[in-house]
Amino acid sequence: MIKILDSKNKKFNKTLDVLLSKRKNKVQLNSVSVIKIIRDVKKNGDKAILKYEKRFNKNSIIAPSIKQINRAIQSLDPKVKKAIDLAYDRIYKFHSLQKFKNISYTDKLKNKLEYKYVPIESVAIYVPGSTASYPSSVLMNAVPAIVAGVKRLVMVNPGQKGKQNPAVLYAAKKCKIKEIYSIGGPSAIAAVAYGTKKIKKVDKIVGPGNSYVAAAKKEVFGDVGIEGMIAGPSEVTIVCDKFSNPEWIASDLIGQAEHDNLAQCILISKDKSIIKKVNDEINNQLKEIPRAAIAKNSLLNNGIIIHMQSDQKIINTVNKIAPEHLELNTKNYKKVVGKIKNAGSICLGKYAVMAMTDYNVGSNHVLPTNSSARYSSGVSVNEFYKRISYINLSKKGIYTLGPSVITLANYEGLAGHAKSVEKRIRRK
Amino acid sequence: MIKILDSKNKKFNKTLDVLLSKRKNKVQLNSVSVIKIIRDVKKNGDKAILKYEKRFNKNSIIAPSIKQINRAIQSLDPKVKKAIDLAYDRIYKFHSLQKFKNISYTDKLKNKLEYKYVPIESVAIYVPGSTASYPSSVLMNAVPAIVAGVKRLVMVNPGQKGKQNPAVLYAAKKCKIKEIYSIGGPSAIAAVAYGTKKIKKVDKIVGPGNSYVAAAKKEVFGDVGIEGMIAGPSEVTIVCDKFSNPEWIASDLIGQAEHDNLAQCILISKDKSIIKKVNDEINNQLKEIPRAAIAKNSLLNNGIIIHMQSDQKIINTVNKIAPEHLELNTKNYKKVVGKIKNAGSICLGKYAVMAMTDYNVGSNHVLPTNSSARYSSGVSVNEFYKRISYINLSKKGIYTLGPSVITLANYEGLAGHAKSVEKRIRRK
């Protein structure tokens, strides 16, 4: 069912490039209609928001009441609550380790330089919700913000007719999010970016969404912060060998493919027999899941199986693909992993499966897609800090370093810069 | 000459908002013409680049020869070379302190989680150059990249008729940049973002530029990385008291104002007499610099002097302005600085002047403008790393955590995710 390529083939690199860019072009953002919506919300505020809510979500409220929230949470299965609690604890623990140390440095001239991590004041988390509900997305975005010390956390999550998912609300409560809005789409992004009467604007917006939400985030970027990447349809690349369990590998590929018609599943192996076994298994297992149609569609259109001849070729190809998730399901993963430069998150060994990392292992599941792992990273505490430099110069400092600054400033044609230093040196 | 506001005035907050947003609107990006240029370069490559180079820079080459580079460098004043060397050393030292430690953590279930900082493979640095030449910009962008370990560093810097500035070339040589292109504007951004026959594409583009370059960077973002902010016209906010030297403060404001007609200079003080003295000094000192017309224009249009009644009001106002540069030129700066949350870089005390930090103090001068200090930071080593999570689960790990993942995955409607975990637990 899945396209099979062989790297021995002369045209392999070109064929792979064409396949990868074909998908990339499909996930282009729609920005024209999005710009109109953003302008409307900027101009007409809450009125515009309610207009779009009625049109797209059959919803007529902007924010649920505390009563509504609590009633929804009470309806939630305690088993799900416990699972959310466990995930929260483990995500909290691993992200706490990522906290930064401030730097303070005094040089020989007694100039003091500091470099501090200051939490962003206010952040909105966009949690998608119309066709599915993702409590895990709440945790993956909110927990790092809590660890960093963000004071004002806002959740934007569209409901069905205003009713939001109980587990999403429970996760938000767990994260002590007090501002919850039951709105969605580009208008919700505009609301938190520019503010309305009911919604105070924030400093940064994070969280996944469909292509309209992603386009809206790109559009408002500059007026408000967003992640250093555009999160798109999910991806996994799995490298396996003759020791891998084909049943497991097939289920990993299907687990990824069920996300979205545009999900990307790639399997790479040096072993032809495991490739055949996995391929057969996929056909068997597709029958087992409710979202089989999506998974099949995704595998047919964007799935690729690659037979390769060497680890070096595998490394190069993975670095070119720059997958969101990488599973190195091989015996020799230690030999390979150090050379992988481009991947959002890397699962090592036979038990580490993408689905585990999506929930409660502790690492983050908001990861760079569409090759953006070349230059960006998953959400982490880093996303919620600003880094500020503090400079305190001594008299000796400016007398020693100043003349050199005067030279450079004058060279750059900035005499005013030079003067501001000169005046401090030639004191009256 | 500069507008003076008093925070006692009831309309103060509104007036300040209007002034700030008036300037903000002036620095909007021009994107329509930029999109056309980008499409052209994507389609026609080097041919399109040369077309725009001829039109805008009277230039007919894409890259200078090594001979040309060395000849230019030989012509450079040794005093300027020395000043660049000193700045390089100090920037290198302070940025080295910012390096991150990788994290490795094994939990009680013997699951091993790692979190590593991996340098971005290839980065292009845009150095503006048509009306002025900034060797300091080369250092501020390239040195953190070198510290992070970026392998392929590319410099894009437009010249006049192909001839680039000797100091820019010297700084590039100092940073061991081997790929130098003498092109500029949106077409140059497109070239490094998408690649041409002569220019291999990069993973990330950093560095300042005019509004066309900034618009181009925003446009290509997603296909390539950019900084987490759009760098626009420069800004300083200075807080001073009765102990401040009015001559120095005036020179600091002028030093900032000479950058650009859209530069923003704001002075805040509780002391009315220093406000008057600084204002008088500005008029005197404007005569002293060649770029007086620009400085005057900038101060007239975007300069604001604010008389305030309390430190708390000053703190709130600075946090609202979120200036690129902040100078706390007051005796009591220690009481105030901890409450400043939004600023790119903060100078403390009487000797710390913005111009010093622009060159050789060691901190970075590529800083967030236009209020983006609310959510973003100056360039640092952080800009040149990706952060990757590595997950290795034990058998006990997946057996213990797996059931909870199965619960959440099924709740989220992702049965395929649940199955990939189940299969590893219920082993055949």
Side-chain angles (χ1 to χ4, degrees):
Chain A
M1 182 169 75
I2 309 180
K3 268 168 238 64
I4 301 185
L5 306 181
D6 197 308
S7 69
K8 268 193 300 193
N9 191 311
K10 269 187 193 166
K11 287 186 182 165
F12 166 74
N13 272 313
K14 209 172 174 186
T15 311
L16 181 63
D17 285 349
V18 169
L19 287 175
L20 294 174
S21 70
K22 213 177 86 187
R23 170 176 177 265
K24 217 174 258 182
N25 290 334
K26 280 189 208 153
V27 289
Q28 290 302 333
L29 306 177
N30 311 291
S31 59
V32 180
S33 57
V34 163
I35 291 172
K36 272 188 201 161
I37 295 175
I38 292 171
R39 279 199 195 134
D40 194 4
V41 173
K42 259 174 122 167
K43 202 178 157 194
N44 300 308
D46 297 320
K47 212 177 120 189
I49 293 175
L50 283 171
K51 183 177 78 186
Y52 295 111
E53 282 303 313
K54 272 176 202 153
R55 189 180 303 169
F56 298 119
N57 301 322
K58 290 179 185 154
N59 170 36
S60 57
I61 58 162
I62 286 179
S65 68
I66 295 175
K67 222 174 162 179
Q68 279 175 306
I69 293 172
N70 287 335
R71 204 181 304 141
I73 289 174
Q74 271 163 21
S75 74
L76 185 63
D77 182 349
K79 209 174 140 190
V80 176
K81 282 187 190 173
K82 260 194 189 167
I84 290 172
D85 291 349
L86 175 65
Y88 177 97
D89 290 343
R90 291 188 58 93
I91 298 164
Y92 193 96
K93 169 71 188 174
F94 188 55
H95 285 76
S96 295
L97 299 173
Q98 295 164 16
K99 282 183 82 169
F100 302 103
K101 272 190 191 152
N102 292 335
I103 294 157
S104 178
Y105 163 69
T106 304
D107 68 15
K108 285 178 195 163
L109 303 165
K110 304 272 184 210
N111 300 311
K112 189 175 177 188
L113 276 78
E114 290 175 287
Y115 189 75
K116 289 186 186 169
Y117 292 86
V118 178
I120 292 173
E121 292 277 289
S122 58
V123 171
I125 294 167
Y126 189 92
V127 180
S130 46
T131 57
S133 276
Y134 299 117
S136 58
S137 280
V138 182
L139 301 180
M140 292 296 177
N141 286 287
V143 174
I146 297 168
V147 171
V150 173
K151 267 192 205 143
R152 181 176 162 238
L153 261 184
V154 174
M155 181 171 84
V156 182
N157 165 247
Q160 289 282 14
K161 298 180 186 172
K163 278 196 179 171
Q164 288 164 289
N165 177 272
V168 165
L169 292 172
Y170 179 73
K173 195 181 178 184
K174 184 90 195 164
C175 297
K176 298 199 175 71
I177 299 176
K178 285 181 195 83
E179 264 180 76
I180 295 175
Y181 301 106
S182 55
I183 59 176
S187 49
I189 297 295
V192 284
Y194 299 107
T196 69
K197 269 201 178 162
K198 291 205 174 172
I199 302 175
K200 217 177 129 194
K201 70 176 179 176
V202 299
D203 295 324
K204 185 163 185 170
I205 306 172
V206 299
N210 60 24
S211 66
Y212 293 94
V213 170
K217 281 170 71 186
K218 184 171 176 181
E219 198 51 42
V220 300
F221 168 56
D223 292 326
V224 69
I226 62 169
E227 303 99 329
M229 50 150 184
I230 311 283
S234 200
E235 304 157 358
V236 74
T237 291
I238 303 178
V239 182
C240 68
D241 62 14
K242 61 182 174 185
F243 306 104
S244 303
N245 180 327
E247 204 188 325
W248 297 3
I249 303 294
S251 73
D252 296 3
L253 290 167
I254 290 174
Q256 189 62 32
E258 74 174 343
H259 263 300
D260 195 302
N261 286 319
L262 282 171
Q264 178 192 69
C265 300
I266 298 177
L267 178 72
I268 306 179
S269 188
K270 291 188 291 186
D271 189 78
K272 273 205 166 169
S273 79
I274 184 100
I275 285 180
K276 192 182 172 322
K277 284 178 201 160
V278 172
N279 215 356
D280 292 344
E281 261 299 321
I282 288 175
N283 291 317
N284 295 334
Q285 290 186 28
L286 269 177
K287 297 161 201 153
E288 296 174 15
I289 60 159
R291 292 169 70 92
I294 294 173
K296 200 173 168 180
N297 200 349
S298 148
L299 290 168
L300 266 170
N301 289 308
N302 309 303
I304 310 174
I305 294 178
I306 307 174
H307 177 238
M308 299 207 100
Q309 279 68 43
S310 71
D311 286 339
Q312 191 53 53
K313 277 193 177 176
I314 291 176
I315 290 161
N316 294 346
T317 302
V318 169
N319 282 331
K320 176 194 270 188
I321 297 167
E324 180 191 19
H325 298 275
L326 173 66
E327 289 184 17
L328 293 181
N329 195 303
T330 57
K331 271 228 161 148
N332 76 343
Y333 67 78
K334 281 186 189 162
K335 264 180 64 185
V336 171
V337 65
K339 291 175 189 154
I340 303 293
K341 305 296 179 191
N342 302 334
S345 149
I346 304 179
C347 285
L348 302 170
K350 59 181 176 177
Y351 292 116
V353 43
M354 181 271 296
M356 288 295 294
T357 66
D358 266 356
Y359 294 102
N360 71 12
V361 167
S363 57
N364 210 290
H365 82 200
V366 186
L367 297 167
T369 59
N370 227 355
S371 292
S372 63
R374 289 184 295 121
Y375 57 82
S376 69
S377 317
V379 163
S380 69
V381 296
N382 185 61
E383 211 66 70
F384 301 100
Y385 281 111
K386 293 164 294 184
R387 299 167 295 280
I388 303 180
S389 297
Y390 301 75
I391 302 102
N392 195 342
L393 297 186
S394 68
K395 188 175 173 182
K396 196 177 173 187
I398 194 163
Y399 272 74
T400 310
L401 302 173
S404 180
V405 165
I406 294 166
T407 299
L408 282 176
N410 281 324
Y411 183 88
E412 293 190 352
L414 299 170
H417 282 59
K419 289 251 181 277
S420 69
V421 177
E422 274 167 15
K423 284 186 193 295
R424 280 168 169 86
I425 298 182
R426 300 189 207 129
R427 292 183 71 186
K428 282 185 183 172
Chain B
M1 181 169 77
I2 310 181
K3 270 169 232 70
I4 301 186
L5 307 180
D6 196 310
S7 68
K8 269 194 300 197
N9 192 311
K10 270 187 192 165
K11 286 186 182 164
F12 166 73
N13 271 313
K14 210 174 170 182
T15 311
L16 181 63
D17 285 348
V18 169
L19 287 175
L20 294 175
S21 69
K22 212 178 87 186
R23 171 176 176 265
K24 217 174 258 182
N25 291 334
K26 279 189 208 153
V27 287
Q28 290 302 333
L29 306 177
N30 311 293
S31 59
V32 181
S33 57
V34 163
I35 290 173
K36 270 189 204 160
I37 294 175
I38 292 172
R39 280 201 195 131
D40 193 5
V41 173
K42 260 174 122 167
K43 203 179 155 193
N44 300 309
D46 296 319
K47 213 176 121 189
I49 293 175
L50 282 171
K51 182 176 77 187
Y52 296 111
E53 282 304 313
K54 272 176 202 153
R55 189 179 303 168
F56 298 120
N57 301 323
K58 290 180 185 150
N59 171 35
S60 57
I61 58 161
I62 287 179
S65 68
I66 296 174
K67 220 173 163 182
Q68 279 175 307
I69 294 172
N70 287 336
R71 204 181 304 142
I73 290 174
Q74 272 164 20
S75 74
L76 185 64
D77 182 348
K79 210 174 141 190
V80 176
K81 282 187 189 171
K82 260 194 190 167
I84 290 172
D85 291 349
L86 175 65
Y88 178 96
D89 289 343
R90 291 188 58 94
I91 298 164
Y92 193 95
K93 168 72 188 174
F94 189 55
H95 286 75
S96 295
L97 299 172
Q98 296 165 15
K99 282 184 83 169
F100 303 104
K101 271 189 191 152
N102 293 335
I103 294 157
S104 178
Y105 165 67
T106 304
D107 67 15
K108 284 177 195 163
L109 304 165
K110 306 271 183 209
N111 299 310
K112 188 174 178 189
L113 276 77
E114 290 176 286
Y115 188 74
K116 290 186 187 170
Y117 293 86
V118 178
I120 293 173
E121 292 277 290
S122 58
V123 171
I125 294 168
Y126 189 92
V127 180
S130 46
T131 56
S133 274
Y134 299 118
S136 58
S137 280
V138 181
L139 300 180
M140 292 294 177
N141 286 287
V143 174
I146 296 168
V147 171
V150 172
K151 265 192 208 146
R152 181 175 162 239
L153 263 183
V154 174
M155 182 171 84
V156 181
N157 164 247
Q160 290 281 15
K161 298 182 188 170
K163 277 197 179 171
Q164 288 164 290
N165 177 273
V168 165
L169 292 173
Y170 179 73
K173 195 182 179 184
K174 184 89 194 162
C175 296
K176 298 197 175 75
I177 299 177
K178 285 182 196 85
E179 264 178 76
I180 296 175
Y181 300 107
S182 56
I183 59 177
S187 49
I189 297 295
V192 283
Y194 300 107
T196 68
K197 270 201 177 161
K198 290 205 175 172
I199 303 175
K200 217 176 128 194
K201 70 176 180 176
V202 298
D203 295 324
K204 186 164 184 169
I205 306 171
V206 300
N210 62 22
S211 67
Y212 293 95
V213 170
K217 280 170 71 185
K218 185 172 175 177
E219 198 51 42
V220 299
F221 168 55
D223 292 325
V224 69
I226 62 170
E227 301 98 330
M229 50 148 183
I230 311 282
S234 200
E235 304 157 358
V236 75
T237 291
I238 303 178
V239 182
C240 67
D241 63 14
K242 60 182 173 185
F243 305 104
S244 303
N245 181 328
E247 204 188 325
W248 296 4
I249 303 292
S251 73
D252 296 3
L253 290 167
I254 291 174
Q256 190 62 30
E258 76 175 341
H259 263 300
D260 194 301
N261 286 317
L262 283 171
Q264 179 192 70
C265 301
I266 298 177
L267 178 72
I268 306 179
S269 187
K270 292 189 289 186
D271 189 77
K272 274 205 168 170
S273 80
I274 184 101
I275 285 179
K276 195 187 169 318
K277 284 179 202 158
V278 172
N279 215 358
D280 293 343
E281 261 299 322
I282 288 174
N283 291 315
N284 295 335
Q285 289 186 27
L286 269 177
K287 297 160 201 152
E288 297 175 13
I289 59 159
R291 292 169 71 93
I294 294 173
K296 200 173 170 182
N297 200 350
S298 148
L299 290 167
L300 265 170
N301 289 310
N302 308 302
I304 311 173
I305 294 178
I306 307 174
H307 178 238
M308 299 208 101
Q309 279 68 45
S310 72
D311 286 339
Q312 190 53 54
K313 276 192 178 178
I314 292 176
I315 290 161
N316 295 346
T317 302
V318 169
N319 282 331
K320 178 195 270 189
I321 297 167
E324 181 191 17
H325 298 275
L326 174 66
E327 289 184 17
L328 293 180
N329 195 303
T330 59
K331 271 226 161 152
N332 76 344
Y333 66 79
K334 280 185 189 164
K335 265 179 64 185
V336 170
V337 64
K339 291 174 188 153
I340 303 294
K341 305 294 179 192
N342 301 334
S345 149
I346 305 180
C347 285
L348 302 169
K350 58 181 175 178
Y351 293 115
V353 44
M354 180 272 296
M356 288 295 294
T357 67
D358 267 356
Y359 294 103
N360 70 12
V361 167
S363 56
N364 209 289
H365 82 198
V366 186
L367 297 166
T369 60
N370 228 353
S371 292
S372 64
R374 291 184 294 120
Y375 57 81
S376 68
S377 317
V379 163
S380 69
V381 295
N382 186 61
E383 211 67 70
F384 301 100
Y385 282 112
K386 295 164 293 183
R387 299 167 295 280
I388 304 180
S389 297
Y390 301 76
I391 302 103
N392 195 341
L393 296 186
S394 68
K395 188 175 174 183
K396 198 178 173 187
I398 195 163
Y399 272 75
T400 309
L401 303 172
S404 181
V405 165
I406 293 166
T407 299
L408 283 176
N410 281 324
Y411 183 88
E412 293 190 350
L414 299 171
H417 283 59
K419 289 254 181 278
S420 69
V421 178
E422 273 168 16
K423 285 187 192 295
R424 279 168 169 86
I425 298 182
R426 299 191 207 127
R427 290 184 73 184
K428 280 186 182 173

